[in-house]
Coordinates of all heavy atoms in Angstrom, one line a residue:
M96 N 37.6 44.0 57.6 CA 36.3 43.8 58.2 C 35.3 44.8 57.5 O 35.6 45.9 57.2 CB 36.4 44.2 59.6 CG 35.1 43.9 60.4 SD 35.4 44.0 62.2 CE 34.6 45.6 62.5
I97 N 34.2 44.2 57.1 CA 33.1 45.0 56.5 C 32.1 45.3 57.5 O 31.7 44.4 58.3 CB 32.5 44.2 55.3 CG1 33.6 44.0 54.2 CG2 31.3 45.0 54.7 CD1 33.2 43.1 53.1
G98 N 31.6 46.5 57.6 CA 30.6 46.9 58.5 C 29.8 48.0 58.0 O 29.9 48.4 56.9
S99 N 29.0 48.6 58.9 CA 28.1 49.7 58.6 C 28.6 50.9 59.4 O 29.0 50.8 60.5 CB 26.7 49.4 58.9 OG 26.2 48.3 58.1
L100 N 28.4 52.1 58.8 CA 28.7 53.3 59.5 C 27.4 54.0 59.8 O 26.4 54.0 59.0 CB 29.5 54.3 58.6 CG 30.9 53.8 58.2 CD1 31.5 54.8 57.2 CD2 31.8 53.7 59.4
S101 N 27.4 54.7 61.0 CA 26.2 55.5 61.3 C 26.3 56.8 60.6 O 27.3 57.1 60.0 CB 26.2 55.8 62.8 OG 27.3 56.6 63.2
S102 N 25.2 57.5 60.5 CA 25.2 58.8 59.9 C 26.2 59.8 60.5 O 26.9 60.5 59.7 CB 23.8 59.5 60.0 OG 22.9 58.7 59.3
K103 N 26.4 59.7 61.8 CA 27.4 60.5 62.4 C 28.8 60.1 62.0 O 29.7 61.0 61.7 CB 27.3 60.4 64.0 CG 28.2 61.3 64.7 CD 28.0 61.1 66.2 CE 29.0 61.9 67.0 NZ 28.8 61.8 68.5
D104 N 29.1 58.8 61.9 CA 30.4 58.3 61.4 C 30.7 58.7 60.0 O 31.8 59.1 59.7 CB 30.5 56.8 61.6 CG 30.5 56.3 63.0 OD1 30.9 57.1 63.9 OD2 30.1 55.1 63.2
I105 N 29.6 58.7 59.2 CA 29.8 59.1 57.8 C 30.1 60.6 57.7 O 31.1 61.0 57.0 CB 28.5 58.8 57.0 CG1 28.3 57.3 56.8 CG2 28.6 59.4 55.6 CD1 27.0 56.9 56.3
E106 N 29.4 61.4 58.4 CA 29.7 62.8 58.4 C 31.1 63.1 58.9 O 31.8 63.9 58.3 CB 28.7 63.6 59.4 CG 27.3 63.7 58.8 CD 27.2 64.6 57.6 OE1 27.9 65.6 57.6 OE2 26.5 64.2 56.7
H107 N 31.6 62.4 59.9 CA 32.9 62.6 60.4 C 34.0 62.2 59.4 O 35.0 62.9 59.1 CB 33.1 61.9 61.7 CG 34.5 62.0 62.3 ND1 35.0 63.1 62.9 CD2 35.5 61.1 62.3 CE1 36.3 62.9 63.2 NE2 36.6 61.7 62.9
F108 N 33.7 61.0 58.8 CA 34.6 60.5 57.8 C 34.8 61.5 56.6 O 35.9 61.7 56.1 CB 34.1 59.1 57.3 CG 35.0 58.5 56.3 CD1 36.3 58.0 56.7 CD2 34.6 58.2 55.0 CE1 37.2 57.4 55.8 CE2 35.5 57.6 54.1 CZ 36.7 57.2 54.5
L109 N 33.6 62.0 56.1 CA 33.7 63.0 55.0 C 34.4 64.3 55.4 O 35.1 64.9 54.6 CB 32.3 63.2 54.5 CG 31.6 62.1 53.7 CD1 30.2 62.4 53.4 CD2 32.4 61.7 52.5
Q110 N 34.2 64.7 56.6 CA 34.8 66.0 57.1 C 36.3 65.8 57.1 O 37.1 66.7 56.9 CB 34.3 66.4 58.5 CG 32.9 66.9 58.5 CD 32.8 68.3 57.9 OE1 33.8 68.9 57.5 NE2 31.6 68.7 57.7
E111 N 36.8 64.6 57.5 CA 38.2 64.3 57.7 C 38.9 63.9 56.4 O 40.1 63.8 56.3 CB 38.4 63.2 58.7 CG 37.9 63.6 60.1 CD 38.7 64.8 60.7 OE1 39.9 64.8 60.6 OE2 38.0 65.7 61.2
S112 N 38.1 63.6 55.3 CA 38.7 63.1 54.1 C 38.8 64.2 53.0 O 38.0 65.1 53.1 CB 37.8 61.9 53.5 OG 37.7 60.9 54.5
T113 N 39.7 64.0 52.1 CA 39.9 65.0 51.0 C 40.1 64.3 49.7 O 40.3 65.0 48.7 CB 41.0 66.0 51.3 OG1 42.3 65.2 51.4 CG2 40.8 66.8 52.5
Y114 N 40.2 63.0 49.7 CA 40.6 62.3 48.4 C 39.6 61.1 48.1 O 39.2 60.4 49.1 CB 42.0 61.7 48.6 CG 42.5 61.0 47.4 CD1 42.9 61.6 46.2 CD2 42.5 59.6 47.3 CE1 43.3 61.0 45.1 CE2 42.9 58.9 46.2 CZ 43.3 59.6 45.1 OH 43.7 58.9 44.0
G115 N 39.3 61.0 46.9 CA 38.5 59.9 46.5 C 38.5 59.7 45.0 O 39.4 60.2 44.3
H116 N 37.5 59.0 44.5 CA 37.3 58.8 43.1 C 35.9 59.2 42.7 O 34.9 58.8 43.3 CB 37.6 57.4 42.7 CG 39.0 57.0 42.8 ND1 39.6 56.6 43.9 CD2 40.0 57.0 41.9 CE1 40.9 56.3 43.7 NE2 41.2 56.6 42.5
L117 N 35.8 60.0 41.6 CA 34.5 60.5 41.1 C 34.1 59.6 39.9 O 34.9 59.5 39.0 CB 34.6 62.0 40.7 CG 33.4 62.6 40.1 CD1 32.3 62.8 41.3 CD2 33.7 63.9 39.5
G118 N 33.0 59.1 39.9 CA 32.5 58.3 38.8 C 31.3 59.1 38.1 O 30.5 59.6 38.8
Y119 N 31.4 59.2 36.8 CA 30.3 59.9 36.1 C 30.1 59.2 34.7 O 31.0 58.5 34.2 CB 30.7 61.4 35.9 CG 31.9 61.6 35.2 CD1 31.9 61.9 33.8 CD2 33.2 61.7 35.8 CE1 33.0 62.1 33.0 CE2 34.3 61.9 35.0 CZ 34.3 62.1 33.7 OH 35.4 62.4 33.0
F120 N 29.0 59.6 34.1 CA 28.6 59.0 32.8 C 28.7 60.1 31.8 O 28.1 61.2 32.0 CB 27.2 58.4 32.9 CG 26.7 57.8 31.6 CD1 27.3 56.7 31.1 CD2 25.6 58.3 31.0 CE1 26.8 56.1 30.0 CE2 25.1 57.8 29.8 CZ 25.7 56.6 29.3
N121 N 29.2 59.9 30.6 CA 29.3 61.0 29.6 C 28.4 60.8 28.4 O 28.5 61.4 27.4 CB 30.8 61.1 29.1 CG 31.2 59.9 28.3 OD1 30.4 59.0 27.9 ND2 32.5 59.9 28.0
G122 N 27.4 59.8 28.6 CA 26.5 59.6 27.5 C 26.8 58.3 26.8 O 25.9 57.7 26.2
S123 N 28.0 57.8 26.8 CA 28.4 56.5 26.2 C 29.2 55.6 27.1 O 29.2 54.4 26.8 CB 29.1 56.8 24.9 OG 30.4 57.5 25.2
E124 N 29.9 56.1 28.1 CA 30.6 55.3 29.0 C 30.8 55.9 30.3 O 30.6 57.1 30.5 CB 32.0 55.0 28.4 CG 32.9 56.3 28.2 CD 34.2 56.0 27.5 OE1 34.4 54.9 26.9 OE2 35.1 56.8 27.5
V125 N 31.1 55.1 31.3 CA 31.4 55.5 32.7 C 32.8 55.8 32.8 O 33.7 55.0 32.4 CB 30.9 54.5 33.7 CG1 31.3 54.9 35.1 CG2 29.4 54.3 33.6
T126 N 33.2 56.9 33.5 CA 34.6 57.2 33.7 C 34.7 57.4 35.2 O 33.9 58.0 35.9 CB 35.0 58.5 33.0 OG1 34.7 58.4 31.6 CG2 36.4 58.9 33.3
V127 N 35.9 56.9 35.8 CA 36.2 57.1 37.2 C 37.6 57.7 37.3 O 38.5 57.2 36.7 CB 36.2 55.7 37.9 CG1 36.6 55.9 39.4 CG2 34.8 55.1 37.8
L128 N 37.6 58.9 38.0 CA 38.9 59.7 38.1 C 39.2 60.0 39.5 O 38.3 60.3 40.3 CB 38.8 61.0 37.3 CG 38.6 60.9 35.8 CD1 38.3 62.3 35.2 CD2 39.8 60.3 35.1
P129 N 40.5 60.0 39.9 CA 40.9 60.5 41.2 C 40.5 62.0 41.4 O 40.6 62.7 40.4 CB 42.4 60.2 41.3 CG 42.8 60.1 39.9 CD 41.7 59.7 39.1
I130 N 40.1 62.3 42.6 CA 39.7 63.7 42.8 C 39.9 64.1 44.2 O 39.8 63.3 45.1 CB 38.2 63.9 42.3 CG1 37.9 65.4 42.2 CG2 37.3 63.2 43.3 CD1 36.8 65.6 41.2
N131 N 40.2 65.4 44.4 CA 40.2 66.0 45.8 C 38.9 66.7 46.0 O 38.3 67.2 45.0 CB 41.4 67.0 45.9 CG 42.7 66.3 45.9 OD1 42.9 65.3 46.7 ND2 43.6 66.7 45.1
F132 N 38.4 66.7 47.2 CA 37.2 67.3 47.5 C 37.2 67.9 48.9 O 38.1 67.6 49.7 CB 36.0 66.3 47.4 CG 36.0 65.3 48.4 CD1 35.2 65.5 49.6 CD2 36.7 64.1 48.3 CE1 35.2 64.5 50.6 CE2 36.7 63.1 49.3 CZ 36.0 63.3 50.5
V133 N 36.2 68.7 49.2 CA 36.0 69.2 50.6 C 34.5 69.1 50.9 O 33.7 69.4 50.0 CB 36.6 70.6 50.7 CG1 35.9 71.6 49.9 CG2 36.5 71.1 52.2
K134 N 34.2 68.8 52.1 CA 32.8 68.8 52.5 C 32.5 70.0 53.4 O 33.2 70.3 54.3 CB 32.5 67.5 53.4 CG 31.0 67.5 53.8 CD 30.7 66.2 54.4 CE 29.2 66.1 54.7 NZ 28.6 67.2 55.4
M135 N 31.5 70.7 53.0 CA 31.1 71.9 53.7 C 29.6 71.8 54.0 O 28.8 71.8 53.0 CB 31.4 73.2 52.9 CG 32.9 73.4 52.6 SD 33.2 74.9 51.7 CE 32.8 76.1 52.9
E136 N 29.2 71.6 55.2 CA 27.9 71.4 55.6 C 27.3 70.2 54.9 O 27.8 69.1 55.0 CB 27.0 72.7 55.5 CG 27.6 73.8 56.4 CD 26.7 75.1 56.3 OE1 25.6 75.0 55.8 OE2 27.3 76.1 56.6
K137 N 26.3 70.4 54.1 CA 25.7 69.2 53.4 C 26.1 69.2 51.9 O 25.4 68.5 51.1 CB 24.1 69.3 53.5 CG 23.7 69.1 54.9 CD 22.2 69.1 55.0 CE 21.8 68.8 56.4 NZ 20.4 68.4 56.5
T138 N 27.2 69.8 51.6 CA 27.6 69.9 50.2 C 29.0 69.4 50.1 O 29.9 69.6 50.9 CB 27.6 71.3 49.7 OG1 26.2 71.8 49.9 CG2 28.0 71.5 48.2
I139 N 29.3 68.6 49.0 CA 30.7 68.2 48.7 C 31.1 69.0 47.5 O 30.5 69.0 46.4 CB 30.7 66.7 48.4 CG1 30.4 65.9 49.7 CG2 32.1 66.3 47.8 CD1 30.3 64.4 49.5
L140 N 32.2 69.7 47.7 CA 32.8 70.6 46.6 C 34.0 70.0 46.0 O 34.8 69.4 46.6 CB 33.1 71.9 47.2 CG 32.0 72.7 47.9 CD1 32.6 74.0 48.6 CD2 30.9 73.1 46.9
I141 N 34.0 70.1 44.6 CA 35.2 69.6 43.9 C 35.7 70.8 43.0 O 34.9 71.7 42.7 CB 35.0 68.4 43.0 CG1 33.9 68.7 41.9 CG2 34.5 67.2 43.8 CD1 33.8 67.6 40.9
H142 N 36.9 70.8 42.7 CA 37.5 71.9 41.8 C 37.9 71.2 40.5 O 38.5 70.2 40.4 CB 38.7 72.5 42.4 CG 39.3 73.6 41.6 ND1 40.3 73.3 40.7 CD2 39.0 74.9 41.5 CE1 40.7 74.4 40.1 NE2 39.9 75.4 40.5
T143 N 37.4 71.8 39.4 CA 37.7 71.3 38.1 C 37.6 72.4 37.1 O 37.1 73.5 37.4 CB 36.8 70.1 37.7 OG1 37.3 69.5 36.5 CG2 35.3 70.6 37.5
Y144 N 38.1 72.2 35.9 CA 38.1 73.2 34.8 C 37.1 72.8 33.8 O 36.7 71.7 33.7 CB 39.5 73.3 34.2 CG 40.6 73.8 35.1 CD1 41.4 73.0 35.8 CD2 40.7 75.2 35.4 CE1 42.4 73.5 36.6 CE2 41.6 75.7 36.2 CZ 42.5 74.8 36.9 OH 43.4 75.3 37.7
E145 N 36.7 73.8 33.0 CA 35.8 73.5 31.9 C 36.4 72.4 31.0 O 37.6 72.4 30.7 CB 35.6 74.8 31.0 CG 34.7 75.8 31.7 CD 33.3 75.4 31.8 OE1 32.7 74.6 31.1 OE2 32.6 75.9 32.8
G146 N 35.6 71.5 30.6 CA 36.1 70.4 29.8 C 35.1 69.2 29.7 O 33.9 69.4 30.1
E147 N 35.6 68.1 29.3 CA 34.7 66.9 29.1 C 34.0 66.5 30.4 O 32.8 66.2 30.4 CB 35.5 65.8 28.5 CG 34.7 64.5 28.3 CD 35.5 63.3 27.9 OE1 36.5 63.5 27.1 OE2 35.2 62.2 28.2
K148 N 34.8 66.4 31.5 CA 34.2 66.0 32.8 C 33.1 66.9 33.2 O 32.0 66.4 33.5 CB 35.3 65.9 33.8 CG 34.9 65.6 35.2 CD 36.0 65.4 36.2 CE 37.0 66.5 36.1 NZ 38.1 66.4 37.0
L149 N 33.3 68.2 33.2 CA 32.3 69.1 33.7 C 31.1 69.1 32.8 O 29.9 69.1 33.2 CB 32.9 70.5 33.8 CG 32.0 71.5 34.5 CD1 31.6 71.0 35.9 CD2 32.8 72.8 34.7
S150 N 31.3 69.0 31.5 CA 30.2 68.9 30.5 C 29.4 67.7 30.8 O 28.1 67.8 30.8 CB 30.8 69.0 29.1 OG 29.7 68.9 28.2
A151 N 30.0 66.6 31.0 CA 29.3 65.3 31.2 C 28.5 65.4 32.5 O 27.4 64.9 32.6 CB 30.3 64.1 31.3
I152 N 29.1 66.0 33.6 CA 28.4 66.1 34.8 C 27.2 67.0 34.7 O 26.1 66.7 35.3 CB 29.3 66.5 35.9 CG1 30.4 65.4 36.2 CG2 28.6 66.9 37.2 CD1 31.5 65.9 37.1
R153 N 27.3 68.0 33.9 CA 26.1 68.9 33.7 C 25.0 68.2 32.9 O 23.8 68.3 33.2 CB 26.6 70.2 32.9 CG 27.3 71.1 33.8 CD 27.7 72.4 33.0 NE 28.4 73.3 33.8 CZ 29.4 74.1 33.4 NH1 29.9 73.9 32.2 NH2 30.0 74.9 34.2
D154 N 25.4 67.3 32.0 CA 24.4 66.6 31.2 C 23.8 65.4 32.0 O 22.6 65.1 31.8 CB 25.0 66.1 29.9 CG 25.4 67.2 28.9 OD1 24.8 68.3 29.0 OD2 26.2 66.9 28.0
Y155 N 24.6 64.8 32.8 CA 24.2 63.6 33.6 C 24.7 63.8 35.0 O 25.7 63.3 35.4 CB 24.8 62.3 33.0 CG 24.5 62.1 31.5 CD1 25.4 62.6 30.5 CD2 23.4 61.5 31.2 CE1 25.1 62.4 29.2 CE2 23.1 61.3 29.8 CZ 23.9 61.7 28.8 OH 23.6 61.5 27.5
P156 N 23.9 64.6 35.8 CA 24.3 65.0 37.1 C 24.3 63.9 38.2 O 24.8 64.1 39.3 CB 23.3 66.1 37.5 CG 22.1 65.8 36.7 CD 22.6 65.2 35.4
N157 N 23.9 62.7 37.9 CA 24.0 61.6 38.9 C 25.4 61.0 38.8 O 25.8 60.4 37.9 CB 23.0 60.5 38.6 CG 21.6 60.9 38.8 OD1 21.3 61.7 39.7 ND2 20.7 60.4 38.0
V158 N 26.2 61.3 39.9 CA 27.6 60.9 40.0 C 27.7 60.1 41.2 O 26.8 60.1 42.1 CB 28.5 62.1 39.9 CG1 28.4 62.9 38.7 CG2 28.3 63.0 41.2
C159 N 28.9 59.5 41.4 CA 29.2 58.8 42.7 C 30.6 59.2 43.1 O 31.4 59.6 42.3 CB 29.1 57.3 42.5 SG 30.3 56.5 41.5
L160 N 30.8 59.2 44.4 CA 32.1 59.6 45.0 C 32.5 58.4 45.9 O 31.8 58.1 46.9 CB 32.0 60.9 45.8 CG 33.2 61.3 46.5 CD1 34.3 61.6 45.5 CD2 33.0 62.5 47.4
Q161 N 33.6 57.8 45.6 CA 34.2 56.8 46.5 C 35.3 57.5 47.3 O 36.2 58.1 46.7 CB 34.7 55.6 45.6 CG 35.4 54.5 46.4 CD 36.9 54.8 46.4 OE1 37.5 55.2 45.4 NE2 37.6 54.4 47.5
V162 N 35.2 57.4 48.6 CA 36.1 58.2 49.4 C 37.1 57.2 50.0 O 36.8 56.1 50.4 CB 35.3 58.9 50.6 CG1 36.3 59.6 51.5 CG2 34.3 59.8 50.0
E163 N 38.4 57.7 50.1 CA 39.5 56.9 50.7 C 40.1 57.6 51.9 O 40.2 58.8 51.9 CB 40.6 56.6 49.6 CG 40.1 55.9 48.4 CD 41.2 55.6 47.5 OE1 42.4 55.6 47.8 OE2 40.9 55.3 46.3
K164 N 40.4 56.8 52.8 CA 41.2 57.3 54.0 C 42.6 56.8 53.8 O 42.9 55.6 53.9 CB 40.6 56.8 55.3 CG 41.3 57.4 56.5 CD 40.6 57.1 57.8 CE 41.2 57.8 58.9 NZ 40.5 57.5 60.2
I165 N 43.5 57.7 53.6 CA 44.9 57.3 53.4 C 45.7 57.5 54.7 O 45.7 58.6 55.2 CB 45.6 58.2 52.3 CG1 44.8 57.9 51.0 CG2 47.0 57.9 52.1 CD1 45.2 58.8 49.8
H166 N 46.2 56.5 55.2 CA 46.9 56.5 56.5 C 48.3 57.1 56.5 O 48.8 57.8 57.3 CB 46.9 55.2 57.2 CG 45.5 54.7 57.5 ND1 44.8 55.1 58.6 CD2 44.7 53.8 56.8 CE1 43.6 54.5 58.6 NE2 43.5 53.7 57.5
N167 N 49.1 56.7 55.4 CA 50.4 57.1 55.3 C 50.7 57.6 53.9 O 51.2 56.8 53.0 CB 51.4 55.9 55.6 CG 51.3 55.5 57.0 OD1 51.3 56.3 57.9 ND2 51.1 54.2 57.2
P168 N 50.4 58.8 53.6 CA 50.6 59.3 52.2 C 52.1 59.4 51.9 O 52.9 59.7 52.7 CB 49.9 60.7 52.2 CG 49.9 61.1 53.6 CD 49.8 59.8 54.4
I169 N 52.4 59.1 50.7 CA 53.8 59.2 50.2 C 54.0 60.6 49.6 O 53.2 61.0 48.8 CB 54.1 58.2 49.1 CG1 53.9 56.8 49.7 CG2 55.5 58.4 48.6 CD1 54.0 55.7 48.6
I170 N 54.9 61.3 50.2 CA 55.1 62.7 49.8 C 56.4 62.8 49.1 O 57.4 62.3 49.4 CB 55.1 63.7 51.0 CG1 53.7 63.6 51.6 CG2 55.4 65.1 50.6 CD1 53.6 64.4 52.9

């Protein structure tokens, strides 16, 4: 079912989620990578090391985050 989320629902969903996909542009192509994140107040934090991804994000700071809710993670 496709529907809309209220601002309150979005906030709750982001607070409860930790996994998604980060999309970014490196100047020649778009890359989408799995990523863990945490939402703190109005900021979404990710952890990464110096490298191509971080350099690209600094050069082209418009990124997107697709968030997933995993019901039964395989451990």
Side-chain angles (χ1 to χ4, degrees):
M96 184 169 104
I97 297 175
S99 298
L100 296 174
S101 69
S102 294
K103 184 178 177 180
D104 291 337
I105 292 169
E106 288 293 319
H107 178 74
F108 184 66
L109 289 173
Q110 288 288 353
E111 297 296 317
S112 302
T113 60
Y114 180 76
H116 289 86
L117 180 71
Y119 63 92
F120 181 66
N121 69 7
S123 61
E124 63 185 13
V125 173
T126 302
V127 178
L128 297 173
I130 197 156
N131 290 311
F132 71 92
V133 63
K134 181 171 183 313
M135 297 179 70
E136 297 181 22
K137 294 187 177 195
T138 303
I139 293 176
L140 303 173
I141 63 171
H142 180 266
T143 189
Y144 294 100
E145 288 292 334
E147 180 184 328
K148 175 176 45 183
L149 190 54
S150 178
I152 292 170
R153 285 182 177 139
D154 291 342
Y155 304 94
N157 292 328
V158 301
C159 68
L160 177 65
Q161 175 265 325
V162 180
E163 296 184 20
K164 184 173 184 180
I165 300 173
H166 296 281
N167 295 312
I169 299 172
I170 299 177

